[in-house]
C-alpha cells in the first residue's frame, strides 16, 4: 500500500477524534446502565484501548486507499477522482499549447498527451478544427502575437483562452519555447487558471465540467518551481477556483480527473482542508 498520507496526518487525527467521540458516548451510556464486575474492568479497559488503536489504523488505511472525494467549495460541488477524462459526462477540458497546434508528430504534440489523444481519437477533421479555432470570435480577442517563422501555427493566444467544440473545451494552457517544449512559470500557471475559470463560467451553461490536473503531464515548470508535484498543482487549482467565486449549481458540477496511474501519489484525504 502506498503511504501517501502520513500516519499522524492532521486530517486523519481530526476525523479520528470525531469517531472516537461517538464511540466514547456509546461506551459511556453502556456503562451507566450495565454494571461491570470488578474482575472484568481491567480486561474491558484493554479492549477499549485496542478498539481505539484499531479505529485509528483503519482510518489511516482508508485515507491512503481513497481514490475520490466530494468537496463543497463555497456552494459548488467539486469532485476529485481517478478515471479517464474522455469517459466523463458533460464537457471535457483538453489543454493545448498557446498556439492551438494540431499536428501530432511527437515533436509539437505528443501522442500520449491529452491533446494528442483528442486529435487522434476524437477529432475527425483537423482542417475543420483549425478553421474553427482561427475564426472563433472570442479567440480573436485573445491573440497576443503572430510568429510566422515558427514550425507550427503562427498565431499565439493568451493563456486560458478557450473554445467549445461539441462536448470538448480546448484551452491554451502551456507556453512553447523555440524547441517546441511546453513550459510555464508558477506566475503563468496562476494567471492561466484565473483566466480559465472565467472562460468556463462563460461556456459551461450549467453542464458538468471535467478537467485534468493542469501541468501534470510533460509541462516543465521554471523559476524555482521545477519540483512542484501533482498534490501542489491540485491545491492551486482548487484555491484559484475558490477565489474566482464561480458557482456550479446542481446539476452542474466540476470534476478534477486524476490519471489512474498517478492516483497513488495524490493525498485525496487532505483536500478536505480546502473546504474551510
Amino acid at each position: 500500500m502506498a503511504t501517501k498520507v502520513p500516519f499522524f496526518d492532521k486530517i486523519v487525527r481530526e476525523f479520528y477524534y470525531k469517531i472516537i467521540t461517538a464511540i466514547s458516548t456509546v461506551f459511556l451510556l453502556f456503562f451507566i446502565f450495565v454494571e461491570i464486575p470488578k474482575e472484568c474492568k481491567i480486561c474491558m479497559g484493554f479492549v477499549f484501548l485496542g478498539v481505539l488503536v484499531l479505529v485509528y489504523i483503519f482510518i489511516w488505511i482508508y485515507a491512503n486507499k481513497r481514490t475520490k472525494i466530494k468537496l463543497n467549495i463555497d456552494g459548488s460541488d467539486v469532485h476529485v477522482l481517478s478515471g479517464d477524462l474522455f469517459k466523463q459526462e458533460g464537457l471535457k477540458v483538453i489543454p493545448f499549447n498557446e498556439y492551438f497546434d494540431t499536428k501530432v508528430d511527437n515533436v509539437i504534440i505528443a501522442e500520449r498527451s491529452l491533446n494528442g489523444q483528442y486529435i487522434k481519437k476524437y477529432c475527425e477533421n483537423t482542417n475543420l478544427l483549425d478553421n474553427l479555432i482561427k475564426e472563433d470570435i472570442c479567440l480573436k480577442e485573445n491573440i497576443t502575437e503572430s510568429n510566422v517563422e515558427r514550425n507550427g501555427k503562427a498565431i499565439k493566444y493568451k493563456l486560458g483562452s478557450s473554445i467549445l467544440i461539441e462536448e470538448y473545451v480546448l484551452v491554451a494552457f502551456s507556453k512553447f519555447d523555440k524547441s517546441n517544449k511546453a513550459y510555464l512559470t508558477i506566475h503563468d500557471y496562476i494567471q492561466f487558471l484565473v483566466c480559465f475559470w472565467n472562460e468556463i463560467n462563460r461556456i459551461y451553461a450549467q453542464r458538468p465540467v471535467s478537467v485534468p490536473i493542469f501541468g501534470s503531464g510533460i509541462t516543465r515548470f521554471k523559476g524555482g518551481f521545477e519540483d512542484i508535484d501533482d498534490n501542489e498543482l491540485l491545491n492551486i487549482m482548487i484555491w484559484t477556483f475558490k477565489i474566482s467565486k464561480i458557482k456550479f449549481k446542481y446539476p452542474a458540477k466540476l470534476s478534477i480527473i486524476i490519471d489512474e496511474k498517478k492516483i497513488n501519489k495524490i493525498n485525496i484525504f487532505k483536500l478536505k482542508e480546502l473546504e474551510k
Side-chain angles (χ1 to χ4, degrees), residues 2-6 63-67 263-268:
T3 55
K4 55 190 177 183
V5 182
N64 276 285
K65 286 185 172 292
R66 193 162 185 178
T67 59
I263 189 62
N264 287 333
K265 297 180 180 179
I266 304 295
N267 188 344
I268 294 289

Side-chain angles (χ1 to χ4, degrees), residues 107-108 174-184 218-220 222:
V107 176
I108 295 178
S174 59
K175 291 186 174 182
F176 255 31
D177 62 18
K178 293 180 179 179
S179 301
N180 286 322
K181 293 181 179 179
Y183 76 94
L184 283 176
I218 59 176
T219 303
R220 298 161 183 82
K222 296 184 177 182

Side-chain angles (χ1 to χ4, degrees), residues 58-239:
F58 175 80
I59 294 172
W60 176 67
I61 292 173
Y62 168 72
N64 276 285
K65 286 185 172 292
R66 193 162 185 178
T67 59
K68 61 182 178 180
I69 195 169
K70 178 182 176 181
L71 306 173
N72 185 288
I73 305 296
D74 293 338
S76 297
D77 284 342
V78 179
H79 298 250
V80 182
L81 65 153
S82 170
D84 184 340
L85 179 68
F86 294 101
K87 294 180 180 179
Q88 305 305 310
E89 62 173 332
L91 302 180
K92 277 79 70 173
V93 177
I94 310 297
F96 276 63
N97 62 44
E98 60 190 335
Y99 294 94
F100 282 103
D101 282 312
T102 55
K103 185 178 180 181
V104 183
D105 58 359
N106 289 318
V107 176
I108 295 178
I109 299 177
E111 289 184 355
R112 62 186 179 90
S113 65
L114 285 175
N115 59 328
Q117 294 178 58
Y118 165 73
I119 293 168
K120 282 288 188 180
K121 298 179 182 178
Y122 302 95
C123 177
E124 296 181 358
N125 189 327
T126 55
N127 290 328
L128 175 59
L129 175 60
D130 289 338
N131 190 59
L132 289 172
I133 292 170
K134 183 179 180 181
E135 299 301 323
D136 186 81
I137 296 175
C138 293
L139 286 183
K140 285 182 178 180
E141 295 175 354
N142 288 327
I143 294 174
T144 59
E145 66 177 79
S146 179
N147 183 1
V148 294
E149 297 180 357
R150 181 176 177 270
N151 177 25
K153 290 187 179 180
I155 299 175
K156 182 191 293 187
Y157 299 87
K158 175 184 175 183
L159 296 185
S161 304
S162 303
I163 178 173
L164 177 63
I165 306 292
E166 296 179 343
E167 61 181 24
Y168 293 95
V169 178
L170 314 186
V171 58
F173 167 63
S174 59
K175 291 186 174 182
F176 255 31
D177 62 18
K178 293 180 179 179
S179 301
N180 286 322
K181 293 181 179 179
Y183 76 94
L184 283 176
T185 65
I186 198 66
H187 179 68
D188 293 330
Y189 188 68
I190 293 173
Q191 280 195 324
F192 155 76
L193 287 168
V194 171
C195 179
F196 170 70
W197 295 130
N198 287 329
E199 288 283 85
I200 282 297
N201 194 39
R202 172 179 66 86
I203 290 171
Y204 84 106
Q206 298 299 312
R207 286 170 287 183
V209 177
S210 295
V211 303
I213 299 181
F214 293 114
S216 179
I218 59 176
T219 303
R220 298 161 183 82
F221 281 85
K222 296 184 177 182
F225 291 87
E226 289 81 1
D227 296 327
I228 194 167
D229 64 19
D230 287 356
N231 284 286
E232 293 167 309
L233 295 176
L234 186 54
N235 275 267
I236 294 172
M237 285 180 63
I238 296 174
W239 171 71

Side-chain angles (χ1 to χ4, degrees), residues 37-56:
K38 291 182 179 181
E39 60 273 18
C40 296
K41 286 185 177 180
I42 295 177
C43 181
M44 287 294 293
F46 280 114
V47 169
F48 183 68
L49 288 174
V51 169
L52 297 185
V53 172
L54 289 174
V55 167
Y56 190 90

